[in-house]
Amino acid sequence: QVQLLQSGAEVKSPGASVKVSCKASGYTFTVHYIHWVRQAPGQGPEWMGWINPNTGGTNYAQKFEDRVTMTRDSSITTAYMELSRLRSDDTALYYCARDQDAYDPYFDYWGQGSLVTVSS
Amino acid sequence: DIQMTQSPSTLSASVGDRVSITCRASQSISTWLAWYQQKPGKAPKILIYKASSLESGVPSRFSGSGSGTEFTLTISGLQPDDFATYYCQQYDDYPYTFGQGTKLEIK
């Protein structure tokens, strides 16, 4: 069965970077884009961008363009999201999600979420 | 960015009720709209895609309708497991955007 297993919770200081991983299993990793979505406490989800695991190509939301880097290691079917220059308002649950396909890219499977807390 | 506005923000209902949640887009998104259900501490779960298509495994009491800028999620015959928060999401244009959510509470 399809699974996206994310790395654990992180506590970071303002100005630091965080790297969250998303291990995919149960399907062909290179076929489906991986998206990253974050959700601050009590807020709706916020889309950050996607990575094409086949080519490594990326598309970032303009809001995060200068601070986010999405990568992948296809040999271990894992995607990564690194966010730099962290601020207190980056405190959120970070999810990876798979899109169903390029023609109808809704999110059909999600990871369990990785809590990132930014605090001095 | 396309703004997604859901109403109501909170909805109180009883088991067996029929309820509807509305989602409005700030510009036309054709039918590129998904509905998700989220329970506390869990990731969102897909219910409806392309405005009205039911995801495999989702009970048929969930249905979606609409196109352009106005969309509706309807739950017919509420079950105890349905009390959760619901989000709409447009995937017509980048950045993909979500509504602020509708919390469905037990009356």
Side-chain angles (χ1 to χ4, degrees):
Chain A
Q1 73 283 22
V2 174
Q3 282 193 310
L4 299 173
L5 186 62
Q6 297 184 226
S7 49
E10 304 255 18
V11 179
K12 296 292 183 179
S13 299
S17 297
V18 68
K19 190 171 186 177
V20 179
S21 67
C22 173
K23 165 76 175 173
S25 61
Y27 71 98
T28 303
F29 180 64
T30 52
V31 170
H32 299 264
Y33 287 15
I34 293 288
H35 298 249
W36 290 89
V37 175
R38 76 177 187 179
Q39 190 170 27
Q43 303 297 310
E46 180 176 32
W47 181 79
M48 301 178 70
W50 57 248
I51 182 166
N52 177 343
N54 186 37
T55 65
T58 55
N59 183 5
Y60 302 143
Q62 191 170 20
K63 174 178 179 176
F64 301 103
E65 225 165 34
D66 60 341
R67 296 198 295 139
V68 73
T69 304
M70 296 177 189
T71 57
R72 94 293 189 212
D73 184 340
S74 298
S75 69
I76 55 171
T77 65
T78 299
Y80 303 90
M81 186 284 300
E82 183 170 22
L83 189 63
S84 64
R85 303 196 304 277
L86 289 167
R87 308 184 291 253
S88 58
D89 61 357
D90 291 318
T91 294
L93 257 174
Y94 288 76
Y95 293 101
C96 60
R98 186 190 88 159
D99 75 20
Q100 199 271 339
D101 66 31
Y103 302 101
D104 203 352
Y106 65 93
F107 305 148
D108 60 353
Y109 289 92
W110 295 64
Q112 83 277 19
S114 299
L115 180 62
V116 175
T117 303
V118 183
S119 174
S120 54
Chain B
D1 297 4
I2 298 174
Q3 306 303 314
M4 305 302 292
T5 304
Q6 288 182 233
S7 60
S9 297
T10 307
L11 182 55
S12 296
S14 302
V15 172
D17 284 354
R18 181 177 185 268
V19 298
S20 291
I21 299 168
T22 297
C23 178
R24 289 188 173 84
S26 60
Q27 65 189 68
S28 177
I29 58 170
S30 184
T31 55
W32 301 113
L33 184 103
W35 288 98
Y36 300 89
Q37 176 193 68
Q38 187 176 34
K39 296 183 178 178
K42 298 292 188 181
K45 172 191 170 187
I46 183 68
L47 300 173
I48 301 285
Y49 63 94
K50 215 165 180 185
S52 61
S53 296
L54 190 69
E55 176 74 355
S56 176
V58 174
S60 58
R61 62 181 180 272
F62 292 92
S63 63
S65 63
S67 66
T69 61
E70 189 151 339
F71 302 86
T72 302
L73 173 70
T74 299
I75 312 172
S76 301
L78 274 173
Q79 297 300 301
D81 190 51
D82 300 338
F83 293 95
T85 300
Y86 293 84
Y87 294 98
C88 60
Q89 179 227 341
Q90 67 81 17
Y91 52 100
D92 177 64
D93 196 14
Y94 297 120
Y96 294 166
T97 47
F98 291 80
Q100 81 281 12
T102 294
K103 185 175 183 180
L104 179 55
E105 298 180 328
I106 300 175
K107 187 184 287 185

PDB file of all heavy atoms in Angstrom, chain B residues 26-52:
ATOM      1  N   SER B  26     -12.053  33.105  -5.959  1.00  0.00           N
ATOM      2  CA  SER B  26     -11.995  34.512  -6.344  1.00  0.00           C
ATOM      3  C   SER B  26     -11.956  34.701  -7.864  1.00  0.00           C
ATOM      4  O   SER B  26     -12.145  35.816  -8.354  1.00  0.00           O
ATOM      5  CB  SER B  26     -10.792  35.194  -5.698  1.00  0.00           C
ATOM      6  OG  SER B  26      -9.590  34.573  -6.097  1.00  0.00           O
ATOM      7  N   GLN B  27     -11.708  33.615  -8.597  1.00  0.00           N
ATOM      8  CA  GLN B  27     -11.806  33.624 -10.053  1.00  0.00           C
ATOM      9  C   GLN B  27     -12.156  32.218 -10.500  1.00  0.00           C
ATOM     10  O   GLN B  27     -12.040  31.268  -9.717  1.00  0.00           O
ATOM     11  CB  GLN B  27     -10.511  34.116 -10.703  1.00  0.00           C
ATOM     12  CG  GLN B  27      -9.324  33.217 -10.476  1.00  0.00           C
ATOM     13  CD  GLN B  27      -8.029  33.847 -10.953  1.00  0.00           C
ATOM     14  OE1 GLN B  27      -7.559  34.831 -10.384  1.00  0.00           O
ATOM     15  NE2 GLN B  27      -7.454  33.278 -11.997  1.00  0.00           N
ATOM     16  N   SER B  28     -12.546  32.089 -11.744  1.00  0.00           N
ATOM     17  CA  SER B  28     -12.976  30.775 -12.218  1.00  0.00           C
ATOM     18  C   SER B  28     -11.849  29.752 -12.170  1.00  0.00           C
ATOM     19  O   SER B  28     -10.719  30.034 -12.578  1.00  0.00           O
ATOM     20  CB  SER B  28     -13.495  30.875 -13.654  1.00  0.00           C
ATOM     21  OG  SER B  28     -13.851  29.596 -14.120  1.00  0.00           O
ATOM     22  N   ILE B  29     -12.186  28.575 -11.636  1.00  0.00           N
ATOM     23  CA  ILE B  29     -11.217  27.480 -11.582  1.00  0.00           C
ATOM     24  C   ILE B  29     -11.759  26.255 -12.318  1.00  0.00           C
ATOM     25  O   ILE B  29     -11.308  25.131 -12.071  1.00  0.00           O
ATOM     26  CB  ILE B  29     -10.843  27.123 -10.132  1.00  0.00           C
ATOM     27  CG1 ILE B  29     -12.086  26.732  -9.317  1.00  0.00           C
ATOM     28  CG2 ILE B  29     -10.071  28.265  -9.467  1.00  0.00           C
ATOM     29  CD1 ILE B  29     -11.760  26.139  -7.945  1.00  0.00           C
ATOM     30  N   SER B  30     -12.752  26.466 -13.200  1.00  0.00           N
ATOM     31  CA  SER B  30     -13.397  25.352 -13.894  1.00  0.00           C
ATOM     32  C   SER B  30     -13.878  24.342 -12.841  1.00  0.00           C
ATOM     33  O   SER B  30     -14.637  24.715 -11.956  1.00  0.00           O
ATOM     34  CB  SER B  30     -12.432  24.730 -14.900  1.00  0.00           C
ATOM     35  OG  SER B  30     -13.077  23.719 -15.630  1.00  0.00           O
ATOM     36  N   THR B  31     -13.420  23.104 -12.925  1.00  0.00           N
ATOM     37  CA  THR B  31     -13.794  22.112 -11.895  1.00  0.00           C
ATOM     38  C   THR B  31     -12.573  21.570 -11.167  1.00  0.00           C
ATOM     39  O   THR B  31     -12.590  20.474 -10.611  1.00  0.00           O
ATOM     40  CB  THR B  31     -14.590  20.948 -12.511  1.00  0.00           C
ATOM     41  OG1 THR B  31     -13.835  20.376 -13.578  1.00  0.00           O
ATOM     42  CG2 THR B  31     -15.940  21.407 -13.030  1.00  0.00           C
ATOM     43  N   TRP B  32     -11.489  22.347 -11.168  1.00  0.00           N
ATOM     44  CA  TRP B  32     -10.254  21.900 -10.526  1.00  0.00           C
ATOM     45  C   TRP B  32     -10.308  22.177  -9.029  1.00  0.00           C
ATOM     46  O   TRP B  32      -9.585  23.027  -8.489  1.00  0.00           O
ATOM     47  CB  TRP B  32      -9.040  22.553 -11.181  1.00  0.00           C
ATOM     48  CG  TRP B  32      -8.926  22.246 -12.636  1.00  0.00           C
ATOM     49  CD1 TRP B  32      -9.053  23.111 -13.668  1.00  0.00           C
ATOM     50  CD2 TRP B  32      -8.697  20.952 -13.219  1.00  0.00           C
ATOM     51  NE1 TRP B  32      -8.913  22.443 -14.873  1.00  0.00           N
ATOM     52  CE2 TRP B  32      -8.692  21.125 -14.631  1.00  0.00           C
ATOM     53  CE3 TRP B  32      -8.485  19.658 -12.713  1.00  0.00           C
ATOM     54  CZ2 TRP B  32      -8.487  20.061 -15.524  1.00  0.00           C
ATOM     55  CZ3 TRP B  32      -8.271  18.605 -13.593  1.00  0.00           C
ATOM     56  CH2 TRP B  32      -8.282  18.818 -14.977  1.00  0.00           C
ATOM     57  N   LEU B  33     -11.185  21.443  -8.359  1.00  0.00           N
ATOM     58  CA  LEU B  33     -11.402  21.636  -6.937  1.00  0.00           C
ATOM     59  C   LEU B  33     -11.469  20.305  -6.224  1.00  0.00           C
ATOM     60  O   LEU B  33     -12.098  19.358  -6.708  1.00  0.00           O
ATOM     61  CB  LEU B  33     -12.716  22.393  -6.679  1.00  0.00           C
ATOM     62  CG  LEU B  33     -12.920  22.688  -5.188  1.00  0.00           C
ATOM     63  CD1 LEU B  33     -12.606  24.120  -4.873  1.00  0.00           C
ATOM     64  CD2 LEU B  33     -14.304  22.296  -4.719  1.00  0.00           C
ATOM     65  N   ALA B  34     -10.814  20.252  -5.062  1.00  0.00           N
ATOM     66  CA  ALA B  34     -10.848  19.063  -4.217  1.00  0.00           C
ATOM     67  C   ALA B  34     -11.403  19.420  -2.848  1.00  0.00           C
ATOM     68  O   ALA B  34     -11.276  20.566  -2.395  1.00  0.00           O
ATOM     69  CB  ALA B  34      -9.437  18.481  -4.067  1.00  0.00           C
ATOM     70  N   TRP B  35     -12.000  18.425  -2.205  1.00  0.00           N
ATOM     71  CA  TRP B  35     -12.461  18.545  -0.824  1.00  0.00           C
ATOM     72  C   TRP B  35     -11.724  17.523   0.029  1.00  0.00           C
ATOM     73  O   TRP B  35     -11.591  16.362  -0.360  1.00  0.00           O
ATOM     74  CB  TRP B  35     -13.960  18.274  -0.719  1.00  0.00           C
ATOM     75  CG  TRP B  35     -14.844  19.339  -1.284  1.00  0.00           C
ATOM     76  CD1 TRP B  35     -15.432  19.348  -2.524  1.00  0.00           C
ATOM     77  CD2 TRP B  35     -15.284  20.533  -0.624  1.00  0.00           C
ATOM     78  NE1 TRP B  35     -16.199  20.492  -2.676  1.00  0.00           N
ATOM     79  CE2 TRP B  35     -16.127  21.225  -1.517  1.00  0.00           C
ATOM     80  CE3 TRP B  35     -15.051  21.087   0.641  1.00  0.00           C
ATOM     81  CZ2 TRP B  35     -16.734  22.444  -1.193  1.00  0.00           C
ATOM     82  CZ3 TRP B  35     -15.654  22.289   0.961  1.00  0.00           C
ATOM     83  CH2 TRP B  35     -16.485  22.961   0.059  1.00  0.00           C
ATOM     84  N   TYR B  36     -11.255  17.969   1.196  1.00  0.00           N
ATOM     85  CA  TYR B  36     -10.547  17.104   2.132  1.00  0.00           C
ATOM     86  C   TYR B  36     -11.232  17.150   3.493  1.00  0.00           C
ATOM     87  O   TYR B  36     -11.806  18.167   3.884  1.00  0.00           O
ATOM     88  CB  TYR B  36      -9.095  17.564   2.315  1.00  0.00           C
ATOM     89  CG  TYR B  36      -8.271  17.559   1.057  1.00  0.00           C
ATOM     90  CD1 TYR B  36      -8.227  18.678   0.233  1.00  0.00           C
ATOM     91  CD2 TYR B  36      -7.526  16.435   0.690  1.00  0.00           C
ATOM     92  CE1 TYR B  36      -7.478  18.675  -0.935  1.00  0.00           C
ATOM     93  CE2 TYR B  36      -6.779  16.428  -0.471  1.00  0.00           C
ATOM     94  CZ  TYR B  36      -6.754  17.550  -1.271  1.00  0.00           C
ATOM     95  OH  TYR B  36      -6.010  17.539  -2.429  1.00  0.00           O
ATOM     96  N   GLN B  37     -11.110  16.046   4.198  1.00  0.00           N
ATOM     97  CA  GLN B  37     -11.573  15.948   5.585  1.00  0.00           C
ATOM     98  C   GLN B  37     -10.341  15.833   6.463  1.00  0.00           C
ATOM     99  O   GLN B  37      -9.417  15.066   6.150  1.00  0.00           O
ATOM    100  CB  GLN B  37     -12.437  14.699   5.761  1.00  0.00           C
ATOM    101  CG  GLN B  37     -12.909  14.435   7.178  1.00  0.00           C
ATOM    102  CD  GLN B  37     -13.472  13.022   7.311  1.00  0.00           C
ATOM    103  OE1 GLN B  37     -12.749  12.030   7.211  1.00  0.00           O
ATOM    104  NE2 GLN B  37     -14.785  12.927   7.520  1.00  0.00           N
ATOM    105  N   GLN B  38     -10.326  16.574   7.574  1.00  0.00           N
ATOM    106  CA  GLN B  38      -9.197  16.472   8.493  1.00  0.00           C
ATOM    107  C   GLN B  38      -9.693  16.311   9.918  1.00  0.00           C
ATOM    108  O   GLN B  38     -10.559  17.058  10.377  1.00  0.00           O
ATOM    109  CB  GLN B  38      -8.279  17.692   8.411  1.00  0.00           C
ATOM    110  CG  GLN B  38      -7.001  17.536   9.220  1.00  0.00           C
ATOM    111  CD  GLN B  38      -6.042  18.697   9.071  1.00  0.00           C
ATOM    112  OE1 GLN B  38      -6.450  19.846   8.913  1.00  0.00           O
ATOM    113  NE2 GLN B  38      -4.740  18.407   9.089  1.00  0.00           N
ATOM    114  N   LYS B  39      -9.130  15.340  10.611  1.00  0.00           N
ATOM    115  CA  LYS B  39      -9.409  15.128  12.028  1.00  0.00           C
ATOM    116  C   LYS B  39      -8.204  15.578  12.840  1.00  0.00           C
ATOM    117  O   LYS B  39      -7.079  15.604  12.318  1.00  0.00           O
ATOM    118  CB  LYS B  39      -9.754  13.659  12.272  1.00  0.00           C
ATOM    119  CG  LYS B  39     -11.040  13.271  11.552  1.00  0.00           C
ATOM    120  CD  LYS B  39     -11.452  11.854  11.836  1.00  0.00           C
ATOM    121  CE  LYS B  39     -12.781  11.580  11.120  1.00  0.00           C
ATOM    122  NZ  LYS B  39     -13.227  10.185  11.321  1.00  0.00           N
ATOM    123  N   PRO B  40      -8.414  15.932  14.118  1.00  0.00           N
ATOM    124  CA  PRO B  40      -7.308  16.471  14.933  1.00  0.00           C
ATOM    125  C   PRO B  40      -6.091  15.550  14.944  1.00  0.00           C
ATOM    126  O   PRO B  40      -6.215  14.342  15.149  1.00  0.00           O
ATOM    127  CB  PRO B  40      -7.950  16.581  16.326  1.00  0.00           C
ATOM    128  CG  PRO B  40      -9.389  16.782  16.055  1.00  0.00           C
ATOM    129  CD  PRO B  40      -9.695  15.946  14.846  1.00  0.00           C
ATOM    130  N   GLY B  41      -4.933  16.138  14.693  1.00  0.00           N
ATOM    131  CA  GLY B  41      -3.682  15.398  14.729  1.00  0.00           C
ATOM    132  C   GLY B  41      -3.432  14.499  13.535  1.00  0.00           C
ATOM    133  O   GLY B  41      -2.449  13.750  13.526  1.00  0.00           O
ATOM    134  N   LYS B  42      -4.291  14.579  12.524  1.00  0.00           N
ATOM    135  CA  LYS B  42      -4.151  13.726  11.342  1.00  0.00           C
ATOM    136  C   LYS B  42      -3.973  14.568  10.079  1.00  0.00           C
ATOM    137  O   LYS B  42      -4.344  15.741  10.040  1.00  0.00           O
ATOM    138  CB  LYS B  42      -5.399  12.844  11.159  1.00  0.00           C
ATOM    139  CG  LYS B  42      -5.651  11.892  12.318  1.00  0.00           C
ATOM    140  CD  LYS B  42      -4.594  10.820  12.402  1.00  0.00           C
ATOM    141  CE  LYS B  42      -4.953   9.770  13.419  1.00  0.00           C
ATOM    142  NZ  LYS B  42      -3.887   8.724  13.517  1.00  0.00           N
ATOM    143  N   ALA B  43      -3.438  13.945   9.046  1.00  0.00           N
ATOM    144  CA  ALA B  43      -3.314  14.611   7.758  1.00  0.00           C
ATOM    145  C   ALA B  43      -4.681  14.700   7.088  1.00  0.00           C
ATOM    146  O   ALA B  43      -5.581  13.888   7.369  1.00  0.00           O
ATOM    147  CB  ALA B  43      -2.350  13.835   6.861  1.00  0.00           C
ATOM    148  N   PRO B  44      -4.870  15.673   6.220  1.00  0.00           N
ATOM    149  CA  PRO B  44      -6.106  15.715   5.431  1.00  0.00           C
ATOM    150  C   PRO B  44      -6.280  14.434   4.618  1.00  0.00           C
ATOM    151  O   PRO B  44      -5.316  13.786   4.222  1.00  0.00           O
ATOM    152  CB  PRO B  44      -5.892  16.924   4.516  1.00  0.00           C
ATOM    153  CG  PRO B  44      -4.925  17.794   5.251  1.00  0.00           C
ATOM    154  CD  PRO B  44      -4.005  16.829   5.939  1.00  0.00           C
ATOM    155  N   LYS B  45      -7.557  14.115   4.374  1.00  0.00           N
ATOM    156  CA  LYS B  45      -7.906  12.925   3.589  1.00  0.00           C
ATOM    157  C   LYS B  45      -8.785  13.374   2.421  1.00  0.00           C
ATOM    158  O   LYS B  45      -9.753  14.107   2.615  1.00  0.00           O
ATOM    159  CB  LYS B  45      -8.671  11.932   4.475  1.00  0.00           C
ATOM    160  CG  LYS B  45      -9.256  10.746   3.734  1.00  0.00           C
ATOM    161  CD  LYS B  45     -10.216   9.962   4.611  1.00  0.00           C
ATOM    162  CE  LYS B  45     -10.987   8.931   3.820  1.00  0.00           C
ATOM    163  NZ  LYS B  45     -12.031   8.266   4.617  1.00  0.00           N
ATOM    164  N   ILE B  46      -8.442  12.933   1.227  1.00  0.00           N
ATOM    165  CA  ILE B  46      -9.208  13.321   0.042  1.00  0.00           C
ATOM    166  C   ILE B  46     -10.594  12.692   0.065  1.00  0.00           C
ATOM    167  O   ILE B  46     -10.752  11.506   0.383  1.00  0.00           O
ATOM    168  CB  ILE B  46      -8.452  12.946  -1.253  1.00  0.00           C
ATOM    169  CG1 ILE B  46      -9.210  13.415  -2.514  1.00  0.00           C
ATOM    170  CG2 ILE B  46      -8.155  11.454  -1.314  1.00  0.00           C
ATOM    171  CD1 ILE B  46      -9.261  14.906  -2.692  1.00  0.00           C
ATOM    172  N   LEU B  47     -11.597  13.489  -0.260  1.00  0.00           N
ATOM    173  CA  LEU B  47     -12.974  13.002  -0.369  1.00  0.00           C
ATOM    174  C   LEU B  47     -13.465  13.099  -1.811  1.00  0.00           C
ATOM    175  O   LEU B  47     -13.999  12.140  -2.371  1.00  0.00           O
ATOM    176  CB  LEU B  47     -13.916  13.839   0.511  1.00  0.00           C
ATOM    177  CG  LEU B  47     -13.677  13.884   2.006  1.00  0.00           C
ATOM    178  CD1 LEU B  47     -14.623  14.890   2.640  1.00  0.00           C
ATOM    179  CD2 LEU B  47     -13.851  12.499   2.615  1.00  0.00           C
ATOM    180  N   ILE B  48     -13.324  14.293  -2.376  1.00  0.00           N
ATOM    181  CA  ILE B  48     -13.872  14.620  -3.686  1.00  0.00           C
ATOM    182  C   ILE B  48     -12.774  15.304  -4.498  1.00  0.00           C
ATOM    183  O   ILE B  48     -12.047  16.154  -3.983  1.00  0.00           O
ATOM    184  CB  ILE B  48     -15.060  15.605  -3.566  1.00  0.00           C
ATOM    185  CG1 ILE B  48     -16.181  15.029  -2.703  1.00  0.00           C
ATOM    186  CG2 ILE B  48     -15.562  16.035  -4.943  1.00  0.00           C
ATOM    187  CD1 ILE B  48     -17.009  13.955  -3.360  1.00  0.00           C
ATOM    188  N   TYR B  49     -12.653  14.943  -5.768  1.00  0.00           N
ATOM    189  CA  TYR B  49     -11.729  15.628  -6.672  1.00  0.00           C
ATOM    190  C   TYR B  49     -12.471  16.041  -7.936  1.00  0.00           C
ATOM    191  O   TYR B  49     -13.567  15.536  -8.212  1.00  0.00           O
ATOM    192  CB  TYR B  49     -10.511  14.745  -6.994  1.00  0.00           C
ATOM    193  CG  TYR B  49     -10.849  13.475  -7.730  1.00  0.00           C
ATOM    194  CD1 TYR B  49     -10.796  13.407  -9.124  1.00  0.00           C
ATOM    195  CD2 TYR B  49     -11.230  12.331  -7.027  1.00  0.00           C
ATOM    196  CE1 TYR B  49     -11.114  12.236  -9.792  1.00  0.00           C
ATOM    197  CE2 TYR B  49     -11.556  11.161  -7.687  1.00  0.00           C
ATOM    198  CZ  TYR B  49     -11.487  11.117  -9.070  1.00  0.00           C
ATOM    199  OH  TYR B  49     -11.810   9.957  -9.730  1.00  0.00           O
ATOM    200  N   LYS B  50     -11.884  16.943  -8.669  1.00  0.00           N
ATOM    201  CA  LYS B  50     -12.501  17.497  -9.867  1.00  0.00           C
ATOM    202  C   LYS B  50     -13.949  17.905  -9.602  1.00  0.00           C
ATOM    203  O   LYS B  50     -14.831  17.660 -10.425  1.00  0.00           O
ATOM    204  CB  LYS B  50     -12.417  16.520 -11.030  1.00  0.00           C
ATOM    205  CG  LYS B  50     -12.223  17.227 -12.369  1.00  0.00           C
ATOM    206  CD  LYS B  50     -11.786  16.269 -13.454  1.00  0.00           C
ATOM    207  CE  LYS B  50     -11.602  17.040 -14.746  1.00  0.00           C
ATOM    208  NZ  LYS B  50     -11.302  16.146 -15.879  1.00  0.00           N
ATOM    209  N   ALA B  51     -14.158  18.512  -8.467  1.00  0.00           N
ATOM    210  CA  ALA B  51     -15.420  19.120  -8.004  1.00  0.00           C
ATOM    211  C   ALA B  51     -16.505  18.124  -7.626  1.00  0.00           C
ATOM    212  O   ALA B  51     -17.249  18.372  -6.671  1.00  0.00           O
ATOM    213  CB  ALA B  51     -15.965  20.096  -9.048  1.00  0.00           C
ATOM    214  N   SER B  52     -16.587  16.998  -8.346  1.00  0.00           N
ATOM    215  CA  SER B  52     -17.735  16.114  -8.106  1.00  0.00           C
ATOM    216  C   SER B  52     -17.406  14.630  -8.166  1.00  0.00           C
ATOM    217  O   SER B  52     -18.305  13.796  -8.052  1.00  0.00           O
ATOM    218  CB  SER B  52     -18.845  16.408  -9.124  1.00  0.00           C
ATOM    219  OG  SER B  52     -18.388  16.184 -10.440  1.00  0.00           O
TER     220      SER B  52
END
